[in-house]
Amino acid sequence: MDFLNLILEPLQEVFLKFKIFLPNLLAMLVIMVLGIVLAQIVRIILIKSLTAINFDSWSDRMGFTTLMRKGDLWAKPSATLGDIIFWLLIIVTLMIGLSALNIPTIDSLVEQFFGYVPRVFSAAMILIIGYVLAGFISQGVLIAAVNSGYHYSKLLAKAIRTLLMVLILAMSMEQLQIAPSIVHAAFSIIFGGIVVALSISFGVGGIDAARRIIERENPEKDAAETKDDIEHV
């Protein structure tokens, strides 16, 4: 009899714990099903809305489509954004569903996740806005350099864009708190190296251009001085 109790008591405890845990498990499953359905509905509505406002054409002009193609993403920007939002909602739904289990360890994990979400959002905004601004600034530098007759206009514009993207990427990683000390050190080395390399290359390569500018300005200066001498006479 004692031997039978030794076997039955653990089974009874497991059954009681499972009986208490079962409603939480069912609640998690219901949350997951509803969340997946809602995420799919949001995805469809978002894609249709983006298509209606010509989001794909705007992405082409801003260079996002080219960036996606370089990353081997061949879907339309609107569909890609819809998929991103869909999976974000799925992850959020999963976290909410896990919190319904009322397990302390999982609750702590969910709390950390939702505390980290604002950092991810701000980092994404920095990347998107920074990419657009880098494109505008690079285009402005290119136009100004071409109008000034600079022979390395495209190289200068690409260099400015690269420097800005390195800065933006470092800001995003710092916002995500991904090894801040390593990010700061790497940023300092990369950014400083690029600046030094550009200074040397443009300094050496710009000697001829500077000579032409000086030679072009000297005749004008000599002519002006000659005119002043004639007037004084």
Side-chain angles (χ1 to χ4, degrees):
M1 189 67 178
D2 293 337
F3 178 74
L4 185 61
N5 289 332
L6 289 175
I7 297 175
L8 292 177
E9 284 180 2
L11 293 176
Q12 289 176 351
E13 291 180 2
V14 170
F15 177 75
L16 291 174
K17 290 180 180 180
F18 179 75
K19 186 177 180 181
I20 296 172
F21 181 73
L22 183 60
N24 297 336
L25 180 61
L26 293 176
M28 185 197 75
L29 294 176
V30 171
I31 291 172
M32 288 298 300
V33 172
L34 292 177
I36 292 172
V37 173
L38 179 61
Q40 186 65 28
I41 293 174
V42 171
R43 175 180 175 274
I44 294 172
I45 294 175
L46 179 61
I47 292 176
K48 289 184 177 180
S49 300
L50 292 175
T51 303
I53 62 175
N54 295 322
F55 177 77
D56 294 330
S57 300
W58 180 81
S59 298
D60 293 340
R61 293 194 301 271
M62 292 295 104
F64 289 117
T65 304
T66 303
L67 184 65
M68 289 173 56
R69 300 297 178 261
K70 291 181 180 179
D72 201 23
L73 294 174
W74 298 97
K76 292 182 178 179
S78 57
T80 301
L81 183 58
D83 291 337
I84 292 173
I85 297 300
F86 171 79
W87 285 109
L88 286 176
L89 291 176
I90 292 297
I91 293 173
V92 172
T93 301
L94 178 61
M95 293 295 106
I96 296 174
L98 290 175
S99 66
L101 296 176
N102 290 328
I103 299 175
T105 304
I106 295 179
D107 289 342
S108 176
L109 177 64
V110 171
E111 184 179 354
Q112 292 177 9
F113 170 78
F114 282 108
Y116 196 69
V117 167
R119 289 187 176 276
V120 176
F121 179 76
S122 60
M125 293 303 297
I126 289 172
L127 281 175
I128 295 172
I129 296 175
Y131 180 81
V132 175
L133 288 178
F136 279 123
I137 295 173
S138 175
Q139 190 70 18
V141 170
L142 177 61
I143 294 173
V146 170
N147 292 336
S148 300
Y150 195 71
H151 293 278
Y152 302 97
S153 303
K154 290 185 178 180
L155 180 60
L156 179 61
K158 289 182 179 180
I160 295 297
R161 187 184 184 93
T162 301
L163 288 174
L164 290 175
M165 290 307 300
V166 170
L167 176 62
I168 291 164
L169 183 60
M171 291 172 62
S172 300
M173 295 183 68
E174 196 278 334
Q175 185 67 29
L176 293 173
Q177 293 294 305
I178 300 176
S181 59
I182 297 177
V183 171
H184 291 163
F187 170 74
S188 300
I189 294 171
I190 295 173
F191 196 86
I194 293 175
V195 170
V196 171
L198 288 175
S199 300
I200 294 173
S201 61
F202 282 108
V204 174
I207 293 175
D208 293 335
R211 184 184 296 112
R212 287 194 296 270
I213 293 173
I214 293 172
E215 290 174 353
R216 187 171 65 247
E217 289 181 351
N218 281 338
E220 296 176 357
K221 184 177 179 181
D222 294 339
E225 291 178 353
T226 304
K227 183 178 180 181
D228 291 339
D229 293 339
I230 293 173
E231 289 178 354
H232 285 301
V233 172

